[in-house]
Amino acid sequence: MLLHPIPAFSDNYIWLLADDNGNALVVDPGDAAPVSAFLAEHRLTLRAILITHHHPDHVGGVNRLLDEHDVPVYGPADEQIPGRTHALAEGDSVQLDAPALRFDVLHVPGHTLGHIAFFTGDHAPPLLFCGDTLFAAGCGRLFEGTPAQMLASLDRLSALPDQTLVCCAHEYTLNNLRFAQAVTPDDTSVNQRLAQMMHTRASGQPTVPVVLAEERQSNPFLRVDDRPLRDAINAREQAALTDRTEIFAALRRWKDQF
């Protein structure tokens, strides 16, 4: 299958997945124009639209695509999604005939309250379309949810299979890794990954998707139990925090100000 991040706006990615017969799905099409151009260039037929949450840069192109393609739109039940035909909640699944894939629906609140993610083990390696919950070396801002909700969502995604490809929706990797380096400056995995990703971006290539096992090594938001990170948080907070939710909240506040 073809897995491709279509650039949109300044730093968004609209994910496209297509089978060998030219059947395609797209995830979070905030802008229809680059999707339509890619479909035409590669002679692909749009078969489905998957939506993770309601923010305009993720849904803004849905109606225009529906003007051109009569396809189902799968999105979170608890949010206002334009053109939605299938309202999804925790425990639901999406079975597509073309591309022939089954996705498990995971409720991952934090960035928004109704945010969902789509996971499939039918692809090798497994794929996770996680919107703005988990980023390469980072996580989404807490616009609607609580630190406890976001931490639980990240814990859940982190428990997926090691080889899962994390298909996140923004090119934030360099900034996220620079923050990770500021938190734990002596961390070899972070420093090596930052150098590698700087080279990737200098070559004009996207830094995503990323392998989940690598995220666990260098994403600070998946490492709130690590002693060096906890020590860094407590030094900054001038506190002795031990509760992992409080540590996560402090880490997220630090990133918001970075």
Side-chain angles (χ1 to χ4, degrees):
M1 288 192 178
L2 169 68
L3 176 67
H4 186 77
I6 301 173
F9 309 119
S10 62
D11 54 35
N12 279 71
Y13 287 125
I14 300 166
W15 287 95
L16 180 141
L17 182 63
D19 64 22
D20 294 338
N21 296 317
N23 301 298
L25 65 85
V26 293
V27 184
D28 288 349
D31 187 0
V35 175
S36 296
F38 192 91
L39 291 170
E41 178 184 356
H42 295 271
R43 299 182 179 180
L44 301 173
T45 301
L46 185 63
R47 300 295 189 188
I49 297 172
L50 309 183
I51 301 294
T52 63
H53 67 290
H54 67 84
H55 285 162
D57 61 322
H58 293 253
V59 301
V62 172
N63 284 333
R64 182 175 165 189
L65 287 174
L66 291 178
D67 288 340
E68 303 170 358
H69 309 274
D70 183 14
V71 299
V73 177
Y74 299 86
D78 294 334
E79 298 191 354
Q80 295 297 315
I81 305 299
R84 185 184 59 204
T85 59
H86 295 71
L88 303 174
E90 171 65 33
D92 287 341
S93 62
V94 174
Q95 180 65 61
L96 301 179
D97 294 328
L101 293 168
R102 179 185 182 277
F103 289 92
D104 294 322
V105 176
L106 311 176
H107 181 217
V108 285
H111 183 67
T112 68
L113 289 177
H115 202 302
I116 61 174
F118 298 88
F119 172 79
T120 179
D122 290 347
H123 183 276
L127 300 176
L128 172 68
F129 296 110
C130 53
D132 288 357
T133 298
L134 174 62
F135 292 129
C139 76
R141 288 179 178 268
L142 304 182
F143 287 123
E144 298 176 12
T146 66
Q149 286 176 316
M150 180 61 99
L151 179 57
S153 295
L154 293 173
D155 284 344
R156 188 173 189 195
L157 297 183
S158 182
L160 292 172
D162 288 351
Q163 295 307 309
T164 299
L165 291 183
V166 178
C167 303
C168 54
H170 288 274
E171 182 58 73
Y172 291 162
T173 310
L174 292 185
N175 181 268
N176 287 342
L177 284 169
R178 291 186 179 107
F179 172 69
Q181 189 179 61
V183 175
T184 52
D186 297 325
D187 192 301
T188 301
S189 64
V190 171
N191 294 332
Q192 289 179 345
R193 188 178 179 191
L194 176 57
Q196 179 185 1
M197 291 300 99
M198 290 176 66
H199 176 75
T200 297
R201 291 305 289 157
S203 302
Q205 300 300 311
T207 61
V208 293
V210 294
V211 178
L212 182 58
E214 183 174 3
E215 281 306 298
R216 296 196 200 102
Q217 294 178 351
S218 53
N219 187 327
F221 295 97
L222 301 185
R223 304 172 66 188
V224 297
D225 298 315
D226 287 6
R227 175 56 62 184
L229 184 143
R230 289 189 167 209
D231 289 346
I233 291 293
N234 281 319
R236 178 179 173 84
E237 295 288 313
Q238 297 184 340
L241 303 177
T242 58
D243 180 82
R244 62 196 310 268
T245 300
E246 292 181 351
I247 292 167
F248 174 83
L251 183 65
R252 184 62 255 184
R253 288 194 301 271
W254 187 354
K255 179 62 167 67
D256 290 343
Q257 300 162 9
F258 183 73

